[in-house]
Amino acid sequence: MQRTLSIVKPDGVKKNVIGNVIGRFESEGLRVVALKMMHLTQKGAEGFYAVHSERPFFASLTEFMTGGPVVVMVLEGDNAIKRVRGLMGATNPAEADEGTIRKDLADSIEANIVHGSDAPETAEFEIGYYFNAMELHG
Ligand code: GDP
């Protein structure tokens, strides 16, 4: 069993596809073990994406992520990190495989609907960033 953090980003909430995204995870056998809707602060977004702080798109990314509410969740299942990444598709929706969330729903490399942790260490940091032990229902 593995856990991963996923976010329906502000563009996904605005497009009314929260259920669509979560449904794809559930259909593949991943379980939601924690879930909340929140509006990220600038500091909160900058801390979450700290690994990208030197990238040219950092300011734009944090502005986008604070532009509206998001839905943050923890998913559990065998090989959850890789499976969620597979369902998401490539960062740039133009390069994402058919049938992935980003190919089907996303507009741009930045407004790409969904986040998913990319490695076990990242997942641990990201889950702890948004949830405490009592909020995890595995
Ligand atoms: P991910 O793991 O597929 O989400 O991609 P990354 O970790 O590389 O980037 C984090 C997020 O930053 C992406 O999901 C996008 O929202 C955004 N992003 C990535 N690359 C770019 C870029 O070249 N330009 C802009 N504006 N945003 C980007």
Side-chain angles (χ1 to χ4, degrees):
M1 272 305 174
Q2 191 176 54
R3 286 177 174 175
T4 188
L5 185 102
S6 181
I7 304 177
V8 181
K9 296 182 179 185
D11 57 329
V13 175
K14 283 187 193 118
K15 281 190 168 179
N16 210 24
V17 294
I18 299 169
N20 182 321
V21 172
I22 295 175
R24 291 173 190 240
F25 295 145
E26 290 185 331
S27 294
E28 289 299 314
L30 293 152
R31 295 194 73 83
V32 177
V33 298
L35 182 79
K36 64 176 98 171
M37 192 170 199
M38 57 201 297
H39 198 136
L40 302 186
T41 62
Q42 185 64 26
K43 268 201 168 147
E46 287 174 1
F48 182 75
Y49 280 119
V51 290
H52 293 310
S53 61
E54 302 303 320
R55 306 278 282 274
F57 57 81
F58 184 65
S60 177
L61 172 61
T62 56
E63 187 182 345
F64 161 64
M65 289 299 292
T66 57
V70 297
V71 173
V72 187
M73 74 197 86
V74 178
L75 298 159
E76 186 176 84
D78 289 333
N79 210 12
I81 294 171
K82 254 210 171 125
R83 285 165 64 205
V84 167
R85 300 281 302 179
L87 290 166
M88 287 163 49
T91 308
N92 185 349
E95 293 165 8
D97 289 341
E98 293 297 331
T100 60
I101 293 167
R102 285 167 167 170
K103 180 71 173 186
D104 290 349
L105 304 174
D107 290 332
S108 72
I109 192 166
E110 180 173 86
N112 59 8
I113 300 283
V114 67
H115 169 85
S117 309
D118 63 2
E121 313 78 57
T122 330
E124 193 180 346
F125 165 75
E126 293 180 351
I127 291 168
Y129 198 84
Y130 290 118
F131 297 97
N132 65 43
M134 285 203 318
E135 295 172 309
L136 295 165
H137 305 278

